[in-house]
DNA sequence: TGATAGTTTCAAATGGTTCTGAAATCAACA
DNA sequence: TGTTGATTTCAGAACCATTTGAAACTATCA
């Protein structure tokens, strides 16, 4: 059976999307399922995906659940069909916002909290310190502040871009060209 | 021996920084070494770090090399001392730019290349297709384009922000507030 | 050139994550 | 409520990246 260009392109994209995701701490399979749904117009059921990606039922189930939790795909029920179907968000802009918000919540917030605690700990001890020790503590505080400031600025920027909506990125880039 | 707040804060930050990095596809140890150097004013040698982080010589060597490759830390030689010392970039802004550029080069560029190939493959076949097949192929092309456009906009924005320099992020966010 | 301190390399071990497959559970319908 | 088909769970298997430690290598100095 001759494969069409569309089929080959699909396979190629799915593979690469999975590889890229793996480099960003997202499981290859989760990304592959997402890629498959992103490219497909009709909703797919679990068996479709197991067949297409050659994965086990358990694996499919776990990763589908995660994708739903992230808000990147949706469950769909067809009347008169007991199976569940899934579709992906196809608005890339929306996808991006979802991913950024989730990762911020899961990974950035904990480190910000830690940094604030570190700052507080050292600041509390600062007045009891003298000489070299005091200088060192002050430098350490600067370092913590450096990262905190960065994250704050990053949040500000991403919120501003989100606020601009779907064309936000391009608009923002254009605006900044002339800044 | 009583630990100072500064020492505890250091340990806490190093641990969390490593955990965060692990969630982003960067090895825990690499990030811990980086965190240690980021907080320390004097350059450290390999043995200092092995001791401090409880890691083997080989591990330290490999990760130090990677960090140097990324451009996040520098080798330093002290006259009359055969050992190599290392320091980290402490300008968070610069750090950020370095990381974004590296990851773009390593992870984003390959997927962009793949997407362009996918597009080309499908586009070439498009004129031979009719009816439903043609519609499907057109939708697939839209999906590929969607991601490509997104990456292009993202590149544009990050370049614009880089161009603004150290205060770029904050400036950009402020500008966009009023857009 | 030999001796020594320092660094890199690499095969093997480890540890942690992901995946499988079958049993348990759940939900819809008669 | 029982039957059936779909989904979830989970213990063990498989897999992969990281780490170790020792040997090889390199550079410096006497």
């Amino acid at each position: 059976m001759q494969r069409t260009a569309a089929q080959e392109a699909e396979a190629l994209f799915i593979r690469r999307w999975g590889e890229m995701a793996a480099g960003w701490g997202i499981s290859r399979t989760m990304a592959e399922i997402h890629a498959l749904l992103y490219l497909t117009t009709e909703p797919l059921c679990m068996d479709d995906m197991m067949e297409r990606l050659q994965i086990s039922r358990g694996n499919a189930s776990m990763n589908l659940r995660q994708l739903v939790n992230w808000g990147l795909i949706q469950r769909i029920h067809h009347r008169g069909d007991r199976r569940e179907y899934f579709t992906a968000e196809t608005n890339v802009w929306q996808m991006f916002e979802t991913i950024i918000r989730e990762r911020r919540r899961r990974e950035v917030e904990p480190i910000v909290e830690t940094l604030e605690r570190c700052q507080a700990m050292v600041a509390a001890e600062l007045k009891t310190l003298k000489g070299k020790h005091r200088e060192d503590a002050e430098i350490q505080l600067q370092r913590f502040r450096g990262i905190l400031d960065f994250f704050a600025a990053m949040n500000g920027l991403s919120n501003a871009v989100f606020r601009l909506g779907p064309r936000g990125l391009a608009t923002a880039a254009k605006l900044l060209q002339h800044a």
Side-chain angles (χ1 to χ4, degrees), chain A:
Chain A
M1 176 199 167
Q2 165 94 28
R3 279 183 118 201
T4 67
Q7 284 169 326
E8 275 197 50
E10 182 179 284
L12 185 55
F13 171 68
I14 290 173
R15 207 174 326 127
R16 264 275 195 280
W17 195 246
E19 282 164 11
M20 182 177 77
W24 289 84
I26 289 162
S27 104
R28 177 192 266 54
T29 304
M30 182 166 149
E32 287 191 348
I33 292 177
H34 176 256
L36 177 56
L37 289 171
Y38 175 76
L39 288 184
T40 309
T41 45
E42 315 83 52
L44 300 179
C45 71
M46 212 159 83
D47 293 77
D48 294 336
M49 299 188 249
M50 287 164 58
E51 154 80 25
R52 189 67 192 47
L53 302 175
Q54 293 292 305
I55 57 176
S56 72
R57 190 169 296 285
N59 195 6
S61 173
M62 296 217 344
N63 283 292
L64 283 169
R65 178 223 290 271
Q66 272 212 286
L67 282 165
V68 171
N69 277 347
W70 274 69
L72 289 172
I73 69 175
Q74 276 186 305
R75 296 191 132 84
I76 288 191
H77 295 277
H78 281 159
R79 192 163 306 285
D81 186 339
R82 191 175 294 186
R83 276 172 302 186
E84 286 188 312
Y85 289 78
F86 298 87
T87 39
E89 173 64 60
T90 54
N91 179 335
V92 180
W93 166 262
Q94 189 55 57
M95 243 167 73
F96 164 69
E97 183 167 343
T98 299
I99 292 170
I100 296 291
R101 283 196 195 283
E102 281 292 312
R103 300 212 77 158
R104 189 199 285 180
R105 189 172 64 74
R106 293 167 196 229
E107 278 122 26
V108 178
E109 278 173 21
I111 183 83
V112 167
E113 207 187 316
T114 297
L115 279 160
E116 280 163 356
R117 252 182 67 210
C118 288
Q119 249 189 348
M121 283 164 62
V122 177
E125 197 193 49
L126 194 66
K127 51 183 164 300
T128 73
L129 297 175
K130 296 226 162 69
K132 177 85 165 60
H133 281 179
R134 181 168 196 133
E135 282 170 40
D136 282 353
E138 271 162 3
I139 289 172
Q140 204 185 27
L141 281 174
Q142 276 173 34
R143 298 285 153 87
F144 290 142
R145 170 157 312 285
I147 300 181
L148 278 169
D149 287 349
F150 170 76
F151 281 132
M154 203 63 176
N155 275 348
L157 178 60
S158 62
N159 287 340
V161 173
F162 292 157
R163 212 172 45 77
L164 290 181
R167 299 299 303 145
L169 271 188
T171 312
K174 201 182 294 176
L175 265 172
L176 295 178
Q177 290 283 311
H178 310 294

